[in-house]
Amino acid sequence: MALRSLGGLAARTARERRGRAIITTTGIALGVAIFFGVADCNASIDRAYAQMADAMVGRADVIVSPLGTGITSMPTAVADRLRGAGGVADAAAFHVVWVNADRTLRGAAVRRAGIRPMPGRRLPTEAHTGVPFALIGTVPADASRLDASRLTAGRLPAPRAPEIAVAAELQRRLQVHVGERLDLTGAGGRQRVTVTGVLEDTGAARLTGGTAVGTLESAGVLSGAPSVVTSVEIRLRHGVQSDRWIEDHRALAGPSVDLVDAASFAAPIRASFRSTEQSFSGMSAVALFVGVFLIYLTLSMAVLERTRLYGMLFALGGTRGQVRRLVLGEAAVLAAVGTASGVVVGLGIGLVLLRVTARLIGLASPALVVPPAVLAVGIAAGFLMTLAASWIPARRAARLSPVEALRNDHEPPHRSVPSALVGGALIALGLAVPTPVTRPILSSTAITFVLFGLVLSVPLILSPVARLVGRTTRRLAAAVGEVAVMHLVKERSRSAFTLALVMIVMALAIMLGAAVQSARGALSHQIDAQFGADLRVFGTFDANRQAQVAKVAGVRAMTTLSFGSSSHLLADHPELRAYVEVIDPRTYFDVSGFAFVEGDGQRARTAMAGGGTVLLPGVIAQRLHSHPGDTIRLTTTAGVRRFEVGGTYVSFFTGPGIVVSATDGRLFGAGVPGQLELSVQPGERPVVVGQRIATALGRGAGERYQAASLLKEQALGRFDRFTAIFYSILGVAVLIGLLGLANTLAMSVLERTREIGLLRAVGVHRRSIGAMVRVESATLAAVALLLSVPLGAVLTTMVLRGVGASSGYRARFVFPWSSLPIVAALGVVVAVVAAAVPARRASRLDVIAALRTD
Amino acid sequence: MYWRIETEPAPAAVTVPLLEALDLVKDYRSGSEVRRALDGVSLSVGQGRFLSVMGPSGSGKSTLRHLLGGLDRPTGGEVLLEGRSLGTLSDRELTEYRRRVGFVFQSFNLIPVLTVAENVALPLVIDGCRRAEVDRRVRDTIADVGLEAHADALPSRLSGGEQQRTAIARALVTEPAVLLADEPTGNLDSATGEQVLSVLKTAQRERGQAIVVVTHDPDVAAVGDEVLHLRDGAVTGCIQLGPDADGSSPAQRLIAWLSDGAA
């Protein structure tokens, strides 16, 4: 005899109803799969960034770079001073210069080089072009001690020789082999170099599409600036703290130099992914929440169905605790199966999500890792969600009256009013929860309060709304339609929670549609406002080159941009990272602009003309509660200075860039502008004007051209691909909702078996019985749709508020009226699919067997 | 031995009541209405005694059964089992009380996923008995009801009579103070019903089991030593059964008694 404990009974009762067990474990598996898959993807990307950062900084403890534009330089004397400073174990200087390599490309390399076919033409299979890349000039022996790059073929360049080693990705783009010679052109000159080796794709090579390592001498020739470096990497002696060393040697480095702790070097890159990571996690948590609902529904059905069993156990002397443990035991068995399945499926989801996301954010082929902590969290999520969902049904089973349980009298009196009061309080609390910028997690908490509150309130509003909707849906099935609606109205507790499940899923669909529409609209608005220039050219533009460009036919107006970065820009908030964008206010607003949150272009032009005024990105302004007219302290080359805030602008697309006037540029170490923005004459094509500029500048130092339309197309395309991921997660939630509805309908048929037998006995056709089930399904779905509209609007407002708090981006709320037909169609599909099997089963019941049912 | 129903009264048994009901009252409230289901019912059952409680539908039989079995609490009066009043028991103690009562239901109430042996073992498992003890007692009890050959069968494989014998075995395995049976033959044909009643009488005779059977069927009630008749929640009569001087059977005498309007 096998039964040794009630635990054994729990396992067998779980197996008894295979269909319901499958639905429950599927709900658990889906919830765990999404949650674990997203967590795993996030962990893998985090790990990839960490590895990339480690590779970028190698064994260095401190990175020294110029305060100012992206690739400006500092005298080699800076490197020499710091190399000899106390506490330094080793140092390596680098001179990065953008160059072009003349190559004849064939096959896939043509596409990889970014060459586009002419309209109506196919992509050529061979093209002679300049391939731009970053050449890192250094003393190879120094660099090999500090850098993490590894040779996979050949050798590093010899000291002072015109030789380079290429990263693997660059080798593929250039279609070059060890021993071959390349003709390189830089801003200051040309040089023929020999490829001596191939390096592993690590660090910066992954982001820039490939780099090459050469000598300082080659970099000097190609840049036309032989006595400068662009960065220095320093390894400190054992026991020397980086942050302390940085503070002690800032003065030695000089005012135009930035010293950064290597550990935080990649922080901006990782931070850029943080909000996406949080969004993924938020959506997966919602899918988990919906999964919890499904489990609650199926386990509630199981308790209802086994009421007599529990009554019998009470009669045999079973305690309430034993009955509660029996329900929880069954849930534990289902949790084990569902969680195991979910983890396996989650690995697959994580892999797909990782591949898609990595391509979107430009991360090359990160490996899927499964940190033990993430696996533990995934497993814990499966068991915890099941425990949370099964607690109430278990408690309900334990509190059954033995007499009523033996009579199978199992519809507990549902006290709608007290539940609704608690629900109303939770909704009010959720709407009132602020979303401080530093705690965006509160936005998720607020949404959870609102969802729970609505779930508790649904039983109170179900009856009147179902009656209203039922006036229409009952006509789908003559005579029996009325019966279906009546059951829905009377069986409040079961119908209510199923309704809540479907309602939440539909509301999520509306929320996602509205949030995507609003965000896309605002993104488009920001791009139009801030990137409205016809053409952008990236490179290095001193006064001569600017003059050359200005004279090119077709150029109507031109403005310059410079960029810089600093870890201590905000003097009073060293924890906040921002970069400096230097504009010429006299010309900038003729060509481009900003998507102002506060202020406008005319006032900004006037205020910034004389210097002393800055424009703050929205994300910084929100954190500092800054408004136009306030002052802010910034670290400059002349010490900490006060600046007036002249306006704030949406920084969703561009990140935390503090905009300063060219008048103040020198205070931030701004050097030669690295970007031109141009508007072209009416009737001129930006691409054609770009070609003329390229001709005028000569085969220059790797200038890159970008038409405004291309930027918008790329940005919106990237946005759409990201939102596709969210829609995929929503699809899982829809599937869970469908399972929940199907389960409820199946239970409804089971409970009404005798009634169905009676209807058939008095002459109702089989197809009418099936129609009755479909009417119930349609009414539930219709009520859910009706209630999901205001819920979706509320959720959208909260999500946009949360997004605004974490990114400084205020999207205007736009209700997705165009999405409603799609959501309604989704509701119809869910209702029809969910009702299919229960309706068929109901219509096929044998009359006599049905009438005999207890 | 399971085919012949014993009609002679049980040998003289100890008359100390194991189960007593004293002036039991049970009211049910529905909104503002109060319905009295039992109105001052008293009875007692001693060891080795077989009491039948009969009456028409709505007479209060089921309510009485619930109260005697500790499934519900009376509004007035008290139930004593082995001298201990149910009224003073906590919920946990009431649960313990129910382990001293064996229940047999009309619809058997076997757990379909458990075998015959496992169904019989269930009360012992609930009570936390040791494995060896469980195995021994289950084996003996199954043998007592003649189901050794079906020990590993699921209920769905059994006939109605076999299922009810399994239910009786489940009730007997804990050696309860009293066995409460609710319409034990209600779902069975007459021949099978006689088998089941025979099992009950055997338990009474060989184990000295006190038995209370609730039924509406005079033929079933006549198997008992004493019949209590209920109507509208009150006792309307009581008759001791045994062979009459004229040789009529207990069932005939009971029917005559009922026909005389004595109940």
Side-chain angles (χ1 to χ4, degrees), chain A residues 185-335:
Chain A
T185 306
R190 307 166 72 95
Q191 189 178 61
R192 178 167 284 188
V193 299
T194 305
V195 178
T196 61
V198 180
L199 295 162
E200 208 176 40
D201 276 327
T202 55
R206 289 189 156 193
L207 279 183
T208 59
T211 55
V213 172
T215 60
L216 283 173
E217 287 73 17
S218 290
V221 166
L222 290 163
S223 65
S227 305
V228 300
V229 294
T230 55
S231 66
V232 177
E233 291 184 10
I234 292 174
R235 186 162 60 87
L236 300 174
R237 290 189 201 283
H238 180 68
V240 176
Q241 299 291 324
S242 308
D243 47 358
R244 185 64 191 267
W245 187 91
I246 288 170
E247 286 312 307
D248 292 344
H249 293 84
R250 246 185 231 288
L252 180 66
S256 302
V257 174
D258 193 11
L259 281 72
V260 177
D261 179 357
S264 62
F265 188 68
I269 302 170
R270 295 170 84 165
S272 68
F273 183 64
R274 193 64 33 90
S275 63
T276 306
E277 199 175 56
Q278 286 174 347
S279 301
F280 282 169
S281 298
M283 279 297 287
S284 73
V286 170
L288 202 68
F289 175 83
V290 174
V292 167
F293 241 90
L294 174 67
I295 299 164
Y296 169 80
L297 275 175
T298 54
L299 286 176
S300 294
M301 306 307 176
V303 166
L304 284 177
E305 203 179 45
R306 297 197 195 111
T307 301
R308 184 174 285 171
L309 166 66
Y310 303 134
M312 216 271 300
L313 288 175
F314 285 131
L316 292 179
T319 63
R320 296 193 187 280
Q322 284 175 316
V323 168
R324 184 168 48 242
R325 285 193 293 276
L326 186 66
V327 177
L328 292 175
E330 180 180 347
V333 168
L334 298 173

Side-chain angles (χ1 to χ4, degrees), chain A residues 831-846:
Chain A
V832 167
V833 173
V837 171
R840 192 158 166 267
R841 198 171 283 167
S843 65
R844 288 179 154 203
L845 283 173
D846 177 75

Side-chain angles (χ1 to χ4, degrees), chain A residues 66-72 530-531 536-543 546 558-566 569 578-585 587-588 594 608 649 654 656-677:
Chain A
L67 255 181
T69 51
I71 307 180
T72 47
Q530 192 169 346
F531 298 91
R536 300 162 80 211
V537 188
F538 303 91
T540 313
F541 302 98
D542 59 17
Q546 287 178 42
M558 185 181 80
T559 191
T560 60
L561 266 84
S562 310
F563 296 92
S565 64
S566 168
L569 191 60
Y579 65 90
V580 166
E581 181 174 338
V582 182
I583 66 169
D584 182 353
T587 56
Y588 181 85
F594 293 98
M608 294 177 79
Y649 71 97
T654 50
I658 296 178
V659 181
V660 305
S661 163
T663 309
D664 297 322
R666 274 200 307 276
L667 290 173
F668 298 95
V672 177
Q675 187 174 322
L676 298 178
E677 297 207 349

Side-chain angles (χ1 to χ4, degrees), chain A residues 4 12 314 317 320 322, chain B residues 91 98-99 118 126 131:
Chain A
R4 295 298 175 203
R12 297 213 210 164
F314 285 131
R320 296 193 187 280
Q322 284 175 316
Chain B
D91 189 65
R98 288 199 285 268
R99 295 181 187 179
E118 289 169 339
I126 288 172
R131 184 183 299 187

